[in-house]
């Protein structure tokens, strides 16, 4: 399993706008940008301030193709998954509630996953994955394609696919933008979409 | 005149001076007072374990009996400080053990404690009475076993929110049969416990006033324990669910009857696992409660919380989850007229954003509870109008910590920053000592803070401000500032370096994801040899460029009398 690098969330804006005024659309990529901005910092007037949560959220994402070895050389040390630093609440309190929220008393969370162009879908147990890393590996094993990682340069080609999910509000989002626990809390089903659609 | 009194008289007078600050002030009056004070000092508080060395503590206060030590900076609670940063208690315990100090009480916060430290501690001080560990880590239940086995006169073992590795030993069983002096026992942060040992321990300790169980203690065991300890003042329940197999109604009846006899309980917490239908069992003692902590009780619905709260007319401190909702807070406001402290925690911190509590709930509380002086409030949104109303209703805030879950979110009604709202708070609560900001904020809020928050000692800033001016307003205006922690805000070298002397009047400054550069930090370190300026750099896959113009990801500086620490890990660079 190769660890690709870091997923950085950066938002730059020239004008004074507020995260809450941005509407989610059904387009997964725009929605991904807005969902991450609604959780990341917003911006101030005058100066463009780049809010980079790379300190807080760094997710190592695995890939399944050698194509990416060329684009992204393997780092010499592994990227650690950073635990969350926002909201400012102690991890102990957090995990106590998350356990309830996710109801880990149930051992599995099976969701449907379809690939564009293939009418028969599969089912995948998300609780059996321990992060985006293993999710992408598992998905790559189940379907005959290469999954691009978010954060990588967009390759507009019909040969590559991206992983998206439908959230509780019915919007389609890019997988990988939000912390794993939040993703588990919100995901309803997965879809493997062509990269050139995003 | 005081100079003509013998030392014993001075000492006797100083006995009445108990607060740390007052004693510190006394010691500065003259050499005589310094001398008398230092020999008679029994309680010492060290807010930063790296500000001074154990040897100097022992040299100055040879009579110390009670010591408090704090290690990591506050933002370590939110995973901003990497593992292995520091804060080891071992050198302190070793030095105290070598000396002839008669240590009786030790209180540690955010420190790394090892089993060896606990073992040495348990063997070195014959009169050791009280161990309180808050947010510590690095030890296992083996260390607890040593404390239990060796501290013959132990009165208090209080473990609050520590990370403890649990071994298969039954540490609780290590308390000898002769241990009958326990007054306070808190092991809520553990996952397991030996029930039989616990019940025997409670039975032979009639002075037990404070008992906080963990989730491995089922409700049946709680009932038996309460039968043995009806004198408890402070109770933390463990699991509060009825086992489906047992005869529910019988167990419930017994529990209710037993709880009713516990007329002394004033503080109630726990409910780590709770079945709503069991809650009515505690209604009889709710009338007397002054402190109620339901912040771990994720299983209780808003409506059940409300039913419970209606019985709690004497509540002074309430810690609760936001599933109580704005409506529930209105009930709190009409029921708990003596409320002084409120903490509302998010039940779904990473959730998509349905508003559990909003500004409405807070305004209701402020309106019904004018004695409110301490607030921690996690919410989805806040308005200036609401904050202004709160400021008008409550003028006694000492602690005001607001966390709007969406960083840098403006007032949703006016789309304005929350400067005016927070400004109103600091202007009306003249004695405010601690403030945490959130939401969209410009430099203006800092102008207000600098102008009005004269007693402010601790300020937490995240995703706020426009320019260096913001930070400067605070540094210039808040004369009593001791701790300043800032993340993700556009403050840089200009603000950092304007008044370098200021930092020696403070305990510490934390800045992460701001605009200070390596060069700026180096300049500061060079000018101020009595500050440790630590650069924390965990980017092990990126070369730290060592260029002065490079922005520093995390900087932690603190005043110290003992120079750069020798236990700093590789990723911490102390500038000189």
């Amino acid at each position: 399993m190769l660890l690709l690098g870091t997923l950085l969330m950066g938002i730059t804006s020239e004008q004074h706008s507020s995260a809450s005024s941005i509407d989610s659309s059904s387009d997964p990529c725009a929605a991904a940008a807005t969902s991450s901005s609604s959780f990341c910092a917003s911006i101030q007037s005058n100066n463009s301030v780049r809010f980079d949560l790379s300190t807080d959220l760094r997710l190592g994402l695995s890939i399944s193709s050698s194509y990416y070895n060329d684009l992204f050389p393997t780092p010499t040390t592994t990227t650690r998954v950073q635990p969350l630093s926002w909201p400012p609440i102690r991890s102990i309190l957090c995990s106590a509630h998350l356990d309830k929220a996710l109801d880990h008393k149930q051992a599995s969370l099976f969701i449907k996953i379809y690939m564009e162009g293939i009418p028969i879908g599969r089912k995948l147990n998300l609780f059996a994955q321990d992060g985006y890393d293993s999710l992408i590996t598992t998905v790559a094993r189940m379907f005959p394609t290469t999954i691009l990682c978010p954060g990588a340069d967009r390759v507009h080609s019909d040969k590559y696919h991206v992983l998206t999910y439908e959230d509780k509000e019915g919007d389609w989002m890019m997988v990988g933008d939000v912390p794993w626990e939040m993703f588990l809390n919100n995901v309803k089903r997965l879809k493997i979409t062509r990269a050139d659609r995003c | 005149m005081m100079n003509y009194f013998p030392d014993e008289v001075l000492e006797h007078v100083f006995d009445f001076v108990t607060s740390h600050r007052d004693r510190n002030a006394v010691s500065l009056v003259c050499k005589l007072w310094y001398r008398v004070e230092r020999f008679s000092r029994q309680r010492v508080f060290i807010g930063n374990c790296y500000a001074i060395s154990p040897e100097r503590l022992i040299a100055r206060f040879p009579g110390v009996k009670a010591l408090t030590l704090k290690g990591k900076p506050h933002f370590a609670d939110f995973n901003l400080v990497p593992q292995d940063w520091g804060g080891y208690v071992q050198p302190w315990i070793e030095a105290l053990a070598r000396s002839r100090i008669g240590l009786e009480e030790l209180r540690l916060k955010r420190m790394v404690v090892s089993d060896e430290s606990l073992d040495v501690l348990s063997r070195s001080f014959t009169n050791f009475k009280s161990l309180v560990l808050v947010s510590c880590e690095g030890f296992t239940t083996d260390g607890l076993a040593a404390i239990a086995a060796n501290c013959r006169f132990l009165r208090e073992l209080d473990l609050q929110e520590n990370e403890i590795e649990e071994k298969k030993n039954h540490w609780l069983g290590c308390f000898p049969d002769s241990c009958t002096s326990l007054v306070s026992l808190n092991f809520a942060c553990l996952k397991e416990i030996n029930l039989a040992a616990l019940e025997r321990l409670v039975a032979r300790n009639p002075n037990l006033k404070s008992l906080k169980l963990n989730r491995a203690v089922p409700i049946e065991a709680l009932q038996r324990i309460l039968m043995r300890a009806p004198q408890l003042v402070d109770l933390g329940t463990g699991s509060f669910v009825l086992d489906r197999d047992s005869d529910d109604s019988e167990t419930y009846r017994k529990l209710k009857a037993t709880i009713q006899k516990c007329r002394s309980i004033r503080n109630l917490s726990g409910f780590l696992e709770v079945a709503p239908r069991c809650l009515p069992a505690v209604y009889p003692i709710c009338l007397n409660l002054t402190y109620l902590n339901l912040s771990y009780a994720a299983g209780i619905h808003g409506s059940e919380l409300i039913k419970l709260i209606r019985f709690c007319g004497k509540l002074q401190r309430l810690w609760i989850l936001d599933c109580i909702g704005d409506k529930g807070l209105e009930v709190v406001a009409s029921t708990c007229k003596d409320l002084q402290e409120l903490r509302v925690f998010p039940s779904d911190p990473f959730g998509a954003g349905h508003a559990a509590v909003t500004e409405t709930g807070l305004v209701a509380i402020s309106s019904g509870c004018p004695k409110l002086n301490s607030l921690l409030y996690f919410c989805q949104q806040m308005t200036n109008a609401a904050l202004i109303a709160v400021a008008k209703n409550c003028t006694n805030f000492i602690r005001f910590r607001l966390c709007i879950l969406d960083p840098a979110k403006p007032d949703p009604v006016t789309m304005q920053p929350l400067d005016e709202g927070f400004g109103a708070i600091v202007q009306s609560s003249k004695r405010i000592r601690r403030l945490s900001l959130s939401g969209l904020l410009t430099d203006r809020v800092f102008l207000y803070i600098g102008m009005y928050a004269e007693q402010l000692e601790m300020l937490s800033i995240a995703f706020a401000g426009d320019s260096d001016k913001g930070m400067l307003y605070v540094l210039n205006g808040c004369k009593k500032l001791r701790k300043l922690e800032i993340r993700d805000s556009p403050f840089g070298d200009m603000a950092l370096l304007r008044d370098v002397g200021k930092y020696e009047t403070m305990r510490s400054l934390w800045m992460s994801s701001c605009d200070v550069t390596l060069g700026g930090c180096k300049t500061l370190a060079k000018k101020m040899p009595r500050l440790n300026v630590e650069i924390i750099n965990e980017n092990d896959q990126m070369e730290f460029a060592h260029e002065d113009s490079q922005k520093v990801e995390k900087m932690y500086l603190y005043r110290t009398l003992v120079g750069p620490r020798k236990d700093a890990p590789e990723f911490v660079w102390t500038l000189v």
Side-chain angles (χ1 to χ4, degrees), chain B residues 297-345:
Chain B
I300 311 187
H301 224 262
S303 54
E304 273 124 10
L305 285 176
I306 290 174
K307 270 196 268 184
L308 182 68
I309 298 280
R310 286 199 197 278
F311 289 98
C312 304
K314 294 209 192 124
L315 223 49
Q316 292 173 15
R317 293 166 62 210
L318 175 63
W319 293 25
I320 199 133
L321 287 173
D322 64 359
C323 38
I324 193 172
D326 285 336
K327 284 280 171 276
L329 290 177
E330 281 166 29
V331 175
V332 173
S334 62
T335 310
C336 311
K337 291 311 191 183
D338 289 334
L339 197 69
Q340 293 175 30
E341 176 178 329
L342 176 68
R343 296 195 187 195
V344 180
F345 294 96

Side-chain angles (χ1 to χ4, degrees), chain B residues 523-559:
Chain B
T523 305
L524 178 58
K526 218 185 216 78
K527 286 191 182 171
M528 302 295 293
R530 286 191 303 195
L531 296 180
N532 278 352
V533 181
E534 294 189 6
I535 307 293
I536 299 169
N537 175 39
E538 321 151 73
N539 297 341
D540 41 23
Q541 82 267 31
M542 283 180 344
E543 280 276 305
F544 191 51
H546 294 252
E547 274 191 26
D548 283 1
S549 57
Q550 176 133 13
K551 285 192 194 170
V552 161
E553 198 44 57
K554 292 177 185 175
M555 177 204 73
Y556 178 54
L557 68 82
Y558 50 89
R559 66 180 176 192

